[in-house]
Amino acid sequence: MTTIDLPPEIETVFREFRTCEFSTLARDGTPVTWPTAARFQPEPAQFLITTSIGQAQKVFHIRRSPRVALLYSDPTASGLMSPPHVLVQGDAVAPDEIVTSVDAPEDYRVYLRDNIFRRQPASEAMSSNAVMRKLFDWYYMRLLILVTPRAILWWPAGDFAQAAHRLEVNHVG
Amino acid sequence: MWDKLTKSLAMFSSAVVTGTDAEGYPFSVRLTPRIDLARQVLHVELPNHVPIQPGAAGLLCHSHDEGLWNLKSFIVRGRLEHEANGWMFHPRQFIPGAGFGGLPGFMRWIMSCRRAARQYLEKRGLPRPAIPWKAIEALRAESKRSISP
């Protein structure tokens, strides 16, 4: 199990940023980066990301190469002033199990409630009536991605010109 | 591709550029690329301490509002090369994301996601799962009451 002794300002970034820039590696090795919502779970230290089976490309990438990165560099709506920018490098797994229940697993329920529904109220439109439910049912067929960090780097105030602070993550067990 | 890229890049104040480090992990930084119209490349000022290696690379621009809505994004696939006058991003493929193409673009996106979902299920011999709409609505109601931990 991995736990990390994170500086509080880094954990605040993980908690308050609405999105991170999530990179996976395509078949030809090109990094492909899209914005996504991630939830940091301190114990064990992991990031939960989900995607629909209608947008599963990042999952296909992970099943070929688990090496991924999450950059937290857009503080819009976080309420934070000049927060550090944080890069997490790690290894991801993406089981081939489609999740439609919103009750389990519990981490997914909390992710959906707090990171998506509460922060993105307009997304309610996607389930607001029968037509929208027909059009968007694929959105609720989800695949879970778990990222175990191996290194966390950060730049105070997002100043990439300065050398990054770096925390290596030691895995136990 | 180049015209789309320059017009789209002008909508954003910065971009995320991602390459890979010596161990093969993605490594991203946010910066402001400079457009070289003559060579159709982007100058990117990567600080010396950033361990990105020359090679395959990507660029992302994205934005959202305070309600995590009005999403806008695009990515570009290309290569990063360290040349005599600094790092250059050589774009190869422009891929629009959310917020591009207006209503027709949005409808195309929905249809492509529906098609991809159907193919995902068909490939595994799975029936289209039922969605628990009542439970989703209950969780949405809970989200309006709860406070993030």
Side-chain angles (χ1 to χ4, degrees):
Chain A
M1 188 167 84
T2 305
T3 58
I4 314 173
D5 193 13
L6 280 175
E9 68 270 25
I10 305 305
E11 198 156 352
T12 300
V13 165
F14 292 157
R15 189 175 60 246
E16 299 298 336
F17 273 40
R18 272 35 181 174
T19 60
C20 65
E21 293 92 14
F22 181 50
S23 298
T24 57
L25 296 173
R27 187 191 298 270
D28 67 357
T30 304
V32 178
T33 307
W34 287 104
T36 190
R39 184 173 183 84
F40 176 62
Q41 305 167 153
E43 291 186 19
Q46 282 185 322
F47 294 81
L48 172 64
I49 293 167
T50 78
T51 191
S52 161
I53 64 168
Q55 296 179 294
Q57 201 59 48
K58 57 177 77 70
V59 163
F60 300 148
H61 291 172
I62 288 166
R63 289 175 187 162
R64 277 194 297 267
S65 171
R67 296 173 180 191
V68 301
L70 303 81
L71 179 69
Y72 290 78
S73 69
D74 179 3
T76 303
S78 69
L80 303 175
M81 299 294 289
S82 297
H85 289 187
V86 187
L87 177 70
V88 179
Q89 293 180 302
D91 296 288
V93 292
D96 196 0
E97 181 184 349
I98 301 169
V99 177
T100 54
S101 168
V102 296
D103 294 325
E106 177 63 15
D107 294 336
Y108 172 59
R109 173 185 165 79
V110 174
Y111 166 93
L112 203 57
R113 184 191 66 195
D114 293 353
N115 292 68
I116 306 297
F117 291 172
R118 190 174 65 80
R119 292 179 167 181
Q120 193 181 49
S123 66
E124 188 166 11
M126 289 193 292
S127 58
S128 59
N129 60 52
V131 174
M132 297 300 272
R133 289 178 180 188
K134 174 85 175 166
L135 278 176
F136 286 101
D137 65 342
W138 54 270
Y139 179 84
Y140 295 96
M141 302 171 195
R142 309 294 290 185
L143 299 166
L144 308 190
I145 299 168
L146 284 169
V147 179
T148 301
R150 68 190 298 272
I152 299 175
L153 300 88
W154 66 94
W155 293 262
D159 183 3
F160 284 102
Q162 304 298 314
H165 299 255
R166 184 180 179 102
L167 180 66
E168 301 294 337
V169 180
N170 297 312
H171 300 275
V172 179
Chain B
M1 193 277 289
W2 178 250
D3 286 347
K4 273 188 195 169
L5 167 56
T6 53
K7 281 179 189 161
S8 304
L9 199 56
M11 299 175 192
F12 297 87
S13 60
S14 62
V16 171
V17 171
T18 304
T20 49
D21 65 16
E23 294 176 272
Y25 282 83
F27 196 107
S28 302
V29 291
R30 182 176 285 273
L31 44 74
T32 304
R34 278 188 297 118
I35 296 170
D36 184 331
L37 287 172
R39 293 187 57 204
Q40 298 198 347
V41 297
L42 303 175
H43 291 250
V44 293
E45 292 188 14
L46 292 181
N48 288 336
H49 56 80
V50 169
I52 290 177
Q53 306 293 300
L59 179 145
L60 160 71
C61 289
H62 75 104
S63 64
H64 61 79
D65 64 16
E66 293 287 314
L68 197 46
W69 204 241
N70 292 312
L71 310 175
K72 202 164 185 62
S73 63
F74 71 88
I75 67 170
V76 184
R77 296 174 73 155
R79 290 187 65 79
L80 272 172
E81 301 295 349
H82 196 202
E83 301 176 6
N85 52 346
W87 285 91
M88 303 291 162
F89 181 83
H90 295 260
R92 181 167 55 84
Q93 183 185 16
F94 177 92
I95 302 173
F100 280 82
L103 184 60
F106 181 60
M107 293 308 294
R108 277 195 301 275
W109 173 73
I110 293 172
M111 291 306 141
S112 74
C113 291
R114 286 188 63 78
R115 187 167 52 248
R118 189 182 66 241
Q119 289 168 350
Y120 193 99
L121 295 168
E122 283 175 357
K123 192 171 178 184
R124 289 158 180 79
L126 298 171
R128 200 169 186 91
I131 304 301
W133 296 111
K134 282 187 178 174
I136 288 170
E137 291 314 303
L139 191 62
R140 279 197 182 279
E142 190 180 319
S143 76
K144 292 170 186 171
R145 296 192 299 269
S146 66
I147 296 171
S148 183

